[in-house]
Amino acid sequence: MKIHAPLLPLAGCLMAGIALSPWPDSWRVGFCILLTAAVVVVLLRQHPRWRSVAMACCVVAMGMMLGSRQQPTGEPDSQSSVSTAASHVRQQLLEHYHEWGISDQAYGVIAAMTLGDKTQIGRELKDTYSKVGTAHILALSGLHMMIIYSVITLFLGWRRIRMLSQVVVILAVWAFALLVGMSPSVVRSAFMISIYGLLSLGYRERMSVNTLAFTAIVMLAIDPASLYDIGFQLSYMAVLCILLFNPLFGRLLPLHVLQRHRWLAFLWGLTTVSLSAQIGTAPLIAYYFGRFSTWFLLSNYLVVPLATVILWLTLCVVATCWWAALQQLLAALLSAVVVMMNQLLEAISQWPYCSIEGLRPSWVQVALVYLVIGCCYVLLSLKVARARQSV
């Protein structure tokens, strides 16, 4: 399976340069490499391979310069009027959550999933979600933003005025990102969704490895320190492996079988996406948190559909503020769904060997694991390609 992603090597070189930036005098070294490589690119016009190597050195040098000139940023002393207004609206919504009469056990999960406020979630509940491999549900990320994007598109996606509707949807997504505090994970997701929406106007492939590499380059150029953010690493590795492995896994079942059985197609799609994301994030989770969740697949079978229901119900509760009786009924249903999800995950966390603890791989071991994953992808791609040719 051939991948057309010319920006992926550039993104990798930029990351390598930023990782090398802590070296002493890296700014001067990077400038010298950049200058030398630029001269080599000009001189080696007739040698494309060596010219590509020189261009890669240029990008590495640019990464070293960007990383060395990155100044540590503290908490801002003052906020803009827009950020202050968004924070005020967020606090009002959180107060409304309390007025709905939602139980304390459900309130923290709803606040985290919809407004990014995880302060009300207890340590035991966080540990439960982490043990069963569903901690990503509690952090606003690509899954939540794509659900919100789908909801907004459902109401604002006018087919007759596609360009205007897509612009309105993207602006609404960024307004939501501003409402929840513009955390790094939310900004990354909103940026990728914006690219996704704009590409859909040209009827192109909406999400590809090349698009992912482009977003990584832009994010690192704006904030090189993002490379060391755990959320940045986990989100990009998860999406990368989904883009790579999900199409291969999807071909393991015949297409006519999936078209005939919609529920099987849904379950198989959820399985392939969850498995692909786990392949990309498991080494990093073991490195940073020393744990591997063995029941992640079953947990995601439960959590992903329930998370969609929770976000929809929350929107319905907010939208029915004019009808107190209906709002209370929907709020009670929302609370019951969240409590049920918490209880199910708590039960799974009590199963034997739910989580393998005490893993402490070195960064060299993590790199080797990813190298093995890359080799497995190449072998699986070749096998799928030969199978398609034989047919």
Side-chain angles (χ1 to χ4, degrees):
M1 184 176 179
K2 188 176 180 181
I3 301 176
H4 181 69
L7 293 179
L8 185 60
L10 297 181
C13 292
L14 186 64
M15 293 179 186
I18 295 174
L20 294 174
S21 62
W23 285 9
D25 297 327
S26 59
W27 190 89
R28 297 178 182 177
V29 174
F31 180 76
C32 294
I33 295 176
L34 178 62
L35 182 61
T36 305
V39 173
V40 172
V41 169
V42 175
L43 295 178
L44 296 179
R45 293 182 178 179
Q46 305 301 324
H47 302 277
R49 293 184 179 180
W50 287 104
R51 187 173 59 182
S52 299
V53 173
M55 292 178 64
C57 293
C58 286
V59 179
V60 171
M62 291 174 62
M64 295 175 67
M65 296 170 63
L66 283 172
S68 61
R69 300 198 58 164
Q70 175 73 15
Q71 300 295 329
T73 56
E75 293 294 329
D77 296 333
S78 60
Q79 293 182 332
S80 65
S81 57
V82 177
S83 299
T84 303
S87 177
H88 180 67
V89 173
R90 184 167 64 251
Q91 290 299 323
Q92 285 186 331
L93 288 175
L94 290 173
E95 291 176 2
H96 284 307
Y97 285 7
H98 278 297
E99 295 174 358
W100 295 344
I102 296 176
S103 64
D104 294 337
Q105 186 182 7
Y107 170 79
V109 175
I110 297 172
M113 290 180 58
T114 57
L115 295 176
D117 183 10
K118 295 189 288 186
T119 58
Q120 301 300 319
I121 303 178
R123 180 175 298 180
E124 294 183 359
L125 187 59
K126 286 183 180 179
D127 188 63
T128 297
Y129 276 77
S130 179
K131 286 178 65 176
V132 299
T134 56
H136 58 91
I137 291 295
L138 298 178
L140 282 174
S141 58
L143 173 64
H144 305 75
M145 296 297 287
M146 280 303 298
I147 294 174
I148 292 168
Y149 172 81
S150 302
V151 172
I152 298 174
T153 303
L154 181 64
F155 291 102
L156 301 179
W158 310 302
R159 295 184 178 181
R160 296 182 179 179
I161 320 176
R162 293 185 67 252
M163 182 174 294
L164 177 60
S165 65
Q166 201 61 241
V167 171
V168 173
V169 170
I170 292 174
L171 290 176
V173 168
W174 280 102
F176 176 78
L178 181 64
L179 173 65
V180 299
M182 296 288 286
S183 65
S185 60
V186 172
V187 172
R188 286 192 299 271
S189 302
F191 184 65
M192 294 182 67
I193 289 175
S194 300
I195 300 297
Y196 176 91
L198 293 176
L199 288 177
S200 66
L201 295 176
Y203 297 96
R204 296 191 172 190
E205 186 178 3
R206 298 186 180 185
M207 185 55 67
S208 63
V209 176
N210 208 44
T211 305
L212 180 67
F214 173 72
T215 60
I217 291 173
V218 173
M219 293 294 296
L220 290 174
I222 296 175
D223 184 14
S226 297
L227 180 63
Y228 303 102
D229 180 56
I230 300 176
F232 178 91
Q233 298 173 16
L234 289 173
S235 61
Y236 274 97
M237 287 307 302
V239 176
L240 177 62
C241 285
I242 289 174
L243 293 174
L244 293 178
F245 285 96
N246 191 51
L248 299 179
F249 293 155
R251 294 191 178 98
L252 295 179
L253 287 182
L255 182 60
H256 67 275
V257 175
L258 297 177
Q259 291 176 342
R260 187 176 303 173
H261 306 282
R262 294 186 177 182
W263 280 106
L264 178 60
F266 171 76
L267 290 176
W268 183 244
L270 185 57
T271 301
T272 56
V273 171
S274 300
L275 186 59
S276 301
Q278 189 71 11
I279 290 174
T281 58
L284 288 175
I285 292 175
Y287 178 74
Y288 286 113
F289 306 106
R291 137 183 307 171
F292 176 76
S293 302
T294 56
W295 295 104
F296 70 92
L297 202 54
L298 176 61
S299 301
N300 281 279
Y301 282 150
L302 300 172
V303 165
V304 174
L306 288 177
T308 306
V309 173
I310 290 170
L311 291 177
W312 271 100
L313 281 176
T314 304
L315 178 63
C316 292
V317 174
V318 174
T320 54
C321 58
W322 50 275
W323 191 351
L326 180 59
Q327 186 182 47
Q328 289 298 320
L329 178 62
L330 292 175
L333 180 60
L334 172 62
S335 180
V337 172
V338 176
V339 171
M340 180 184 66
M341 183 175 69
N342 290 342
Q343 291 176 349
L344 289 173
L345 295 181
E346 177 66 26
I348 295 176
S349 68
Q350 302 299 323
W351 290 1
Y353 305 106
C354 173
S355 176
I356 301 175
E357 306 287 342
L359 301 176
R360 289 292 181 269
S362 64
W363 68 268
V364 176
Q365 292 173 320
V366 172
L368 290 175
V369 170
Y370 279 118
L371 180 61
V372 172
I373 291 174
C375 294
C376 292
Y377 170 75
V378 173
L379 294 175
L380 187 59
S381 299
L382 293 174
K383 185 176 181 180
V384 171
R386 291 175 181 174
R388 294 180 64 182
Q389 290 176 359
S390 63
V391 174

